[in-house]
Amino acid sequence: MTTAQRINLQLKRVPAWPIYVAGALVPCWYLYLGLTGGLGVDPVKAMEHALGERALQLLIVVLAVTPLRDVTGVSLVRFRRALGLVTFWLVSCHLAVWLVLDVQILSQIWADILKRPYITIGMLAFVLMIPVAITSNNLSIRKLGPKRWKRLHQLTYACAGLGAIHFVMLVKGFQIEPLVYLGIVLALLAMRLPRPVKRAVA
C-alpha cells in the first residue's frame, strides 16, 4: 500500500461535518473580535476584508482538490462539497457586512455596484456562486445528470478568477498578497487545461 493510499484510508474515517461547524463559527468569531476591539479602529472594514479573504482562501483549497489528487494521489474529494458551501457562506457574510454595516444606504449600494469595477466583479462572482451552492447536493446531481451538473459546477473556476481579481483591484497601491492569490488561482486553473497528446513517432 502506498503512502497516498494509507492517507486516503485514514481520511475516510474523518467526517465532513466539522467543516460546516467551523465555517459557521468564523463570522461569529470576527463579530466577537469587532465588538471587543480586536479588529482595530475600523472593525467593519476589517471584518469585511477578513471574511472575504477567508472565502478566497477556501475557494483556492476547493480548486486544489483535483490537482492534489492528480499529482500526489491524496483525495480530499469527499470534503469538497463542505468546503464549497462554507466558502459560499463566508462570501455571503462578506457581502452582508458590506450591505448592512458598511454602506447601509440602498441607493448607494446600487451606485457602488455600477460605478466601482471591483464591486461589479465581486458581485458577479457572488451571483455565479449561487447556482453552484444551490445544486451542491445529491438530488441536483440526479436531476441534472452528472455531465450537466459537472458543467454547471465549472462556474467555480470563473468565481475563483473573479474573486482573485476583485481582491487585486480592491487594495490600494501595489501589494504582493493579492497578486500571490491571483497567481495561485491562475496556476490551479492552468493545471486543468487539456494537455496536448504526444503522438508516437513511427
Side-chain angles (χ1 to χ4, degrees):
M1 182 180 292
T2 65
T3 301
Q5 289 172 332
R6 285 196 293 270
I7 293 174
N8 291 335
L9 187 61
Q10 293 299 320
L11 287 174
K12 287 182 179 180
R13 302 172 183 174
V14 179
W17 64 263
I19 297 175
Y20 293 106
V21 175
L25 291 176
V26 169
C28 300
W29 171 246
Y30 284 118
L31 180 60
Y32 167 78
L33 289 178
L35 294 174
T36 56
L39 293 180
V41 296
D42 193 347
V44 172
K45 283 292 185 184
M47 187 186 310
E48 184 182 326
H49 173 81
L51 289 170
E53 189 169 358
R54 296 296 88 75
L56 182 56
Q57 290 168 349
L58 267 186
L59 192 51
I60 288 173
V61 173
V62 172
L63 284 183
V65 169
T66 298
L68 177 67
R69 182 191 59 191
D70 293 343
V71 174
T72 69
V74 175
S75 178
L76 299 177
V77 172
R78 64 189 302 267
F79 303 109
R80 185 163 53 189
R81 179 183 298 178
L83 291 168
L85 288 173
V86 170
T87 299
F88 180 73
W89 161 246
L90 293 181
V91 171
S92 299
C93 291
H94 167 70
L95 178 61
V97 171
W98 176 68
L99 292 173
V100 179
L101 300 179
D102 190 355
V103 182
Q104 299 180 339
I105 303 172
L106 184 61
S107 59
Q108 184 62 42
I109 291 170
W110 185 245
D112 283 349
I113 293 174
L114 294 178
K115 293 181 180 180
R116 298 186 180 184
Y118 74 90
I119 296 180
T120 307
I121 290 174
M123 287 298 298
L124 178 58
F126 176 72
V127 170
L128 292 179
M129 289 185 76
I130 294 175
V132 176
I134 291 174
T135 58
S136 291
N137 53 74
N138 294 333
L139 177 61
S140 294
I141 296 175
R142 291 195 296 270
K143 292 289 186 180
L144 295 172
K147 288 185 178 180
R148 282 194 296 175
W149 183 88
K150 184 177 180 180
R151 194 177 303 121
L152 174 64
H153 278 243
Q154 287 176 344
L155 287 173
T156 303
Y157 306 155
C159 294
L162 291 171
I165 293 172
H166 168 73
F167 190 17
V168 170
M169 297 177 68
L170 171 66
V171 299
K172 296 179 180 179
F174 178 81
Q175 295 190 29
I176 294 295
E177 185 183 16
L179 295 175
V180 170
Y181 282 120
L182 179 60
I184 293 173
V185 168
L186 292 178
L188 290 172
L189 294 179
M191 294 179 72
R192 286 171 162 79
L193 295 175
R195 298 178 182 179
V197 178
K198 294 182 179 180
R199 296 182 179 180
V201 179

